[in-house]
Amino acid sequence: MTLTTKNQRPARDPWNVGFGVVASIAAFFTLLIWIPNDIKGGFIEINQIGKPEPGDAFFPIILASLMLVLSTGQLVGAVLSSKPQEASGKLTAHNLKFLFLFYTIVLAGLTVMYWLGPLVVDALRSTGVIDSTYRQLVDTAPYKYLGYVAGGFLMTTGLIAWAEGSIRPQAVLTVAIIIGALILVLDILLYNIQIPPNADF
Amino acid sequence: MELVWEYIVRGVMGVFFDANGAFDIIPMAMVFSGLMLGIVVGATPGLNGPFAMALSLPILISVFGVSNEALLPILGFLIGLMKGGTIGGAVPAILFNTPGTPDAFLTTLDGYPMAQKGQGLKALKISHFSSACGDTFSDIVLFLTAPVLAVLIENVLDLPEKSALIILSLSFMAAVAGKSPIKGLIIGILGMFLALMGSTLSGNGARLTLGIDALGNGLPLTSAVIGVLVIGEVFLALEDTARDRLSKLKAAVILPEGDNSFGLKDIRQIMPRICTSAAIGTMVGALPGIGTTLAATLGYDAAKRLSKHPEKFGTGLPEGVAATEAANSAVSGANLIPVMSLGIPGNFAAVFLILAVESVGDFTLGPSVFRFTAIKEIADYGTIINKDLVVAFGIFTLMVMGNFFNWTVGWWLMRSLGILARIPKTIMMPVVLLITLTAVYVQDGGFIAIWVVLAFGAMGYVLRRLEISILPFVIGFILAPKLEELIRGGYSASGGDALFLLKSPLAVFFMFTAILIVVFVSRQSAGKSESRNR
């Protein structure tokens, strides 16, 4: 097993094989478990005038079967190929770490976006400052902006800080202007539109 | 002919006047603002036309609603964005050696050396002129061919042939859009399968929902497509810039010091290259799945081959700039040929036009649009008319207006956008993420849209990292309901014949060609990698 250049892989590229394996398993799972358990109609059904017509499972079964055939072909081709294969892309541990960090920051921002407003309103309500619920205040400033501003700010500046290694004043200013512009356009200038998370309450 | 003229007039009038006959400036204003924003977006590295279309669509739907009256303003804006995005990409390519859009990479080869010689402004003028020429040429081809093609298709193709044609288009896209046709096909089928979630055609209740009630109405189409296209790209760009810490673009504006005049003599010099490239770009654009980058490459290559001094290409030659810009701009009109005549999107910009049409009003793209039904006024009933055809001519009018604005005012904006190339991706991408999440939320009215965007974004990221084209996935996702309807209809109409797709010679031809393309391209890729390894 020799490598000649960095763009070449040995005949059996594990990523090509892996893709075939994952796709084959997914197709098998879909055909044998997902479709039978999650589609009420059949493959072919007899209509009211006694003629056969395709049921709800007709097209999904055709697609899953095609996927099985193709992924098996991909797998067999990748395993049996005697010719050196062109390097396919790959997912590294670094990529997965990035995805994890990215989603952590985004989900943290979205969590704040969703919960900050209701939590602040609950706190104010319990101290007797206001007597309304968040649901009653989803169209009242400043409550309706709390989550969006704080969550959006956290998510965006968090990603910038992580990507740049630091946070610069112009980045903070840019984010503040963008959030302000989005609120201005979507909430103040337009009617019947709710910015996150207010439509969920 | 009189009937055709009647439909054209009604289509044009539909853009300028509302249902009550009052002058309506909104569609025109939307094309103008879309074009301007498109040029700005194209001039910003990391952003491009389809990106901006993705972000705008949910907001436009929130603003204009989903009634028939909303369609032309929304499409006007998207068409403007599509056209402007291609033009704007040349600005940072010429001034900073940084292509604003991927297809503008080849513009850097001669554009940047021209800027270094103090001819940056001239290069921008050539780029704008060539882009506008290429775009106009391909629009004219679209106007002439789409109706003819559609009428032919509608007269010749029945359900099995139409099904086979969609399968052929998908196979072609899978074959040409990525490194491996088989992987492309698998991903295309996956996209189709996911599109079926939550739907039913037999009235037996939502299928494939995994028990999640929120998926009972299916995956939000726009959110899913935006997730794969935009968020996947945001992930990728952020990871790359975070790794490289390329927070600042260290390039200086090249001030115009040399000869920056652009007159008839220059036009005569570059016109042959523009004509060749416009033809190449139009042909490439008409084929589904082949993007502007290939058009620019072929245009540049052809210009070099036809030149008397090919060795000067890459040293700051106006013909080089003209060839690439005319070719990549010519794609934007031609890529609507499969959209208008078949209802099949051939690239990402077309995807968003289809999404807009599917989300707004009751207009449907496809061969049936160009049915020239006789216009009849019936007392106490109204007018019998093919309203879709009127809208189609309205869309053509919007495109002509886009070209008009591009020729007249596009240049003035384009020359002043050099500053945008300095906006770092590390700030741009998180901001794009926030705008995207906000836009899909306001359109779908709930966090479910955000979860779908993020889930499909992860999928888009993984596919990009595995170097598998996402185009077949997106096109499969969009075309699945149509293909299912055609296949079910064809099967029922054949009386339950399982081989109904192979009963018509034309359908057999399409299916055979689909297989042939996949096999041929697979063997070619294998051959390429083998020869590289020798």
Side-chain angles (χ1 to χ4, degrees), chain A:
Chain A
M1 195 162 76
T2 54
L3 292 174
T4 47
T5 75
K6 65 177 182 178
N7 283 329
Q8 292 162 20
R9 296 254 174 87
R12 196 172 295 165
D13 182 344
W15 288 94
N16 279 331
V17 176
F19 183 84
V21 170
V22 171
S24 302
I25 291 172
F28 258 120
F29 167 81
T30 305
L31 268 175
L32 301 179
I33 298 172
W34 193 8
I35 291 177
N37 288 295
D38 211 0
I39 299 183
K40 294 187 189 86
F43 184 72
I44 299 288
E45 291 168 354
I46 304 297
N47 66 16
Q48 288 174 335
I49 54 167
K51 285 195 170 177
E53 66 175 20
D56 268 352
F58 182 79
F59 195 54
I61 287 177
I62 291 177
L63 288 180
S65 308
L66 260 175
M67 193 164 159
L68 183 62
V69 171
L70 288 169
S71 51
T72 309
Q74 161 74 22
L75 180 58
V76 171
V79 170
L80 297 182
S81 176
S82 57
K83 296 171 186 170
Q85 294 170 5
E86 191 169 358
S88 63
K90 58 178 181 175
L91 268 178
T92 62
H94 178 273
N95 298 141
L96 295 175
K97 188 179 155 198
F98 159 78
L99 262 186
F100 177 74
L101 278 169
F102 185 96
Y103 271 101
T104 305
I105 296 171
V106 171
L107 291 176
L110 290 174
T111 306
V112 171
M113 193 180 280
Y114 191 88
W115 287 112
L116 185 67
L119 287 177
V120 168
V121 168
D122 278 354
L124 291 175
R125 202 167 160 223
S126 62
T127 53
V129 179
I130 54 173
D131 58 359
S132 308
T133 63
Y134 187 74
R135 190 184 171 83
Q136 293 165 319
L137 295 172
V138 287
D139 202 23
T140 308
Y143 308 106
K144 63 173 175 177
Y145 300 132
L146 285 176
Y148 184 69
V149 172
F153 201 78
L154 177 71
M155 181 170 69
T156 333
T157 50
L159 287 172
I160 293 171
W162 170 62
E164 293 195 335
S166 63
I167 187 84
R168 292 176 291 147
Q170 56 262 54
V172 176
L173 187 67
T174 308
V175 172
I177 291 171
I178 293 292
I179 291 177
L182 284 169
I183 289 175
L184 179 72
V185 173
L186 297 174
D187 193 66
I188 298 172
L189 297 180
L190 297 175
Y191 299 103
N192 302 324
I193 287 179
Q194 287 182 302
I195 54 170
N198 299 327
D200 285 88
F201 288 91

Side-chain angles (χ1 to χ4, degrees), chain B residues 248-267:
Chain B
K248 274 185 183 174
L249 195 78
K250 293 189 174 57
V253 181
I254 308 295
L255 294 171
E257 292 160 353
D259 172 23
N260 280 293
S261 62
F262 179 65
L264 272 177
K265 189 181 158 213
D266 298 293
I267 293 175

